[in-house]
Amino acid sequence: MSNIVEAKSLRKNYGNFTALDGVDLTIPRGAICGLIGPNGAGKTTTLKALIGLCDVEGELSVAGRDPRIARHKLMEDVCFIADVGILPKWLKVSHVIDYVEAVHPRFDRKKAEKFLSTTDIPANKRIKNLSKGMVTQLHLALVMAIEVQLLVLDEPTLGLDIIYRKEFYDRLLNDFYDGNRTIIISTHQVEEIETLLSHLVFINKGKIVLDSSMSDLPDIYTEVLVDADKVAQADAVGPIYVRELLGKKSYTFEAVPREQLEVLGELHTPSVADLFVAKLKEEKHG
Amino acid sequence: MDKFAILQFYGLIKREVLEHRNLFIGAPAVVALLLLVATTWAVTQVDESQLAEGLRYVSVLFDGLSPFDMAPFFMLLAVPFYLTLYVCSVIYLINTLYQDRKEMSVLFWQSMPVSNLQTVLSKIVTIVLVAPIFYVLIIFAMYLIAMVWLTILGISNDVDLVGIGYMFLAAIASLVLIYISAFVTSLWLLPSVGWLLLFSAFAKKTPLLWAGGVFILVGFLEDFIFGTQFLANWVASRTSDPNQYLIFEFQSIFERIFNYDTLFGIVVGGILIVGAVFMRRFTD
């Protein structure tokens, strides 16, 4: 499978603050990739770099183009939804559809209108008068009506209630994703997207700390609920993270064969959230 | 240019008009309304026989004469609209690239397959060619209302309506002159257009203050370092004479565009506009 995103040694500074510090990233076509990181980790800068909205140093190719020199051409193949606030508030719903129809060669108006007919969004309302959930639905309707290779989502459900959030991801999977298109999602709500993902990237302090397919994770990471009498033995194996859980100790190991760990206690594959915490703590403590 | 590129550019212009309809339609409509109200009030202060006499004089004055020759008579009526257009243009140009970034909608606009060059060009075409169309249409509507009113007045006072008709034709011809004047003035002021767009794309806050502040600073530095006032004199020479903003004769249009001063201004404006395109590209 070819890669839709290939980035090497991406660097970006804002004054003295280093937003990206040598980011290497490879995302295969057809993946649903989660880009996870704490606040200020470099998620938004990475996503903006991918679609040519911020200038970075390093090698970068998205859908076969360099976003820094061909952003507008690239955007024929890529869609972007950022935080819910970015649709211009002064426009009416019908005006937004008119605009996208006018400027995007791959926009299917009927598709967008069909999607909107399943919502409560009136065509003659201004965006400033819509709820946050409606604005997101509208943006999703626009995006789903565009035939693109890559969809980039930066905290797309921020500030939405659980119903809108769930509906957003259901629609994304059922109506947009077809196995060939690629989706990159950056979010804090890791648990909500964990089951959707086929690829996982963690970023912290401008550096990629994990870049793996979800199917490879069980082979690399193992969580062990260690029996009390095996704690010293587990410590000796060299966990990347240890935490207290229901009076027991939970150890997270990286690249340690399962057979070696079976003797220590009950084995699990860590959840994305647990793995995220483990990798960040590992970074912090070295 | 293919058909889609034309439709795409039309979409960009439509967006500008929708977003700034208050500047392009609302403001001149208010001016037209105020002029109509002021004229109506003034007429009520005049004796009807004097009014009829005045109307007869005007009717005779215009009767049989070429509307294009008489069009300049109406240019003074357009002055309030010109002033409004220029004030609105400054407001538009200084805010147009800044506002997108301020309200974060720039992420939406730039998520579309539209280049920064197309975006900036659409804004220039909007202010140079499209905005004056709306002003001219509103002046036309104002003339139309005035003509209906004068016709009724003429019928009730037994005034020759043919002369009034000629006056109306001269008023219509003046619309062409008004539009061309606005266009030529835009070319004349292209350095200002580029300067305002540059700071609209650059400033993170108060773009007008930046545009004015940097201009004063550059002038001051020129005076301080070289002991010259080229910049200040150049700007003064392009702004001090009101005749530079109005064209009274169709014959002078070519001469007003194709002269050294205007063409030099177009080059300077072009450089500043290219700067605005790059600034929009690199300001994140």
Side-chain angles (χ1 to χ4, degrees), chain B residues 20-35 75-93 127 131-132 134-136 138-139 142 178 182 185-186 189 196 245-246:
Chain B
H20 302 282
R21 56 195 178 283
N22 288 342
L23 298 177
F24 301 147
I25 300 166
V30 168
V31 172
L33 200 66
L34 287 175
L35 281 175
M75 289 308 282
L76 283 181
L77 262 179
V79 168
F81 291 95
Y82 273 116
L83 292 174
T84 309
L85 176 61
Y86 297 143
V87 170
C88 289
S89 298
V90 170
I91 295 170
Y92 169 74
L93 289 165
I127 207 67
F134 288 106
Y135 277 68
V136 162
I138 284 166
I139 297 170
M142 185 183 78
I178 290 168
T185 306
S186 300
L189 293 175
L196 292 171
Y245 301 102
L246 291 175

Side-chain angles (χ1 to χ4, degrees), chain A residues 53 68 71-72 88 103 126, chain B residues 8 21 109-110 113-114 281:
Chain A
L53 292 185
R68 292 163 292 191
R71 177 193 58 81
H72 69 288
V103 302
R126 289 197 194 284
Chain B
Q8 197 180 37
R21 56 195 178 283
W109 303 118
Q110 293 202 330
V114 176
R281 160 80 181 80

Side-chain angles (χ1 to χ4, degrees), chain A residues 12 14 53-55 68 71-72 75-76 80 82 86-88 90-91 95-96 98-100 102-105 126, chain B residues 4 7-8 11-12 14-15 18-19 21 103-105 107-116 118 281-282 284:
Chain A
K12 173 74 182 174
Y14 291 105
L53 292 185
C54 88
D55 210 29
R68 292 163 292 191
R71 177 193 58 81
H72 69 288
M75 297 318 290
E76 288 182 8
F80 175 60
I86 72 161
L87 284 183
W90 53 269
L91 274 178
H95 292 155
V96 186
D98 290 345
Y99 177 79
V100 180
V103 302
H104 209 301
R126 289 197 194 284
Chain B
F4 180 75
L7 290 174
Q8 197 180 37
L12 296 178
K14 189 178 164 191
R15 173 228 150 158
L18 277 173
E19 185 173 1
R21 56 195 178 283
E103 63 169 29
M104 299 292 286
S105 64
L107 292 175
F108 171 71
W109 303 118
Q110 293 202 330
S111 73
M112 292 291 133
V114 176
S115 69
N116 291 313
Q118 284 172 298
R281 160 80 181 80
F282 291 113
D284 56 64

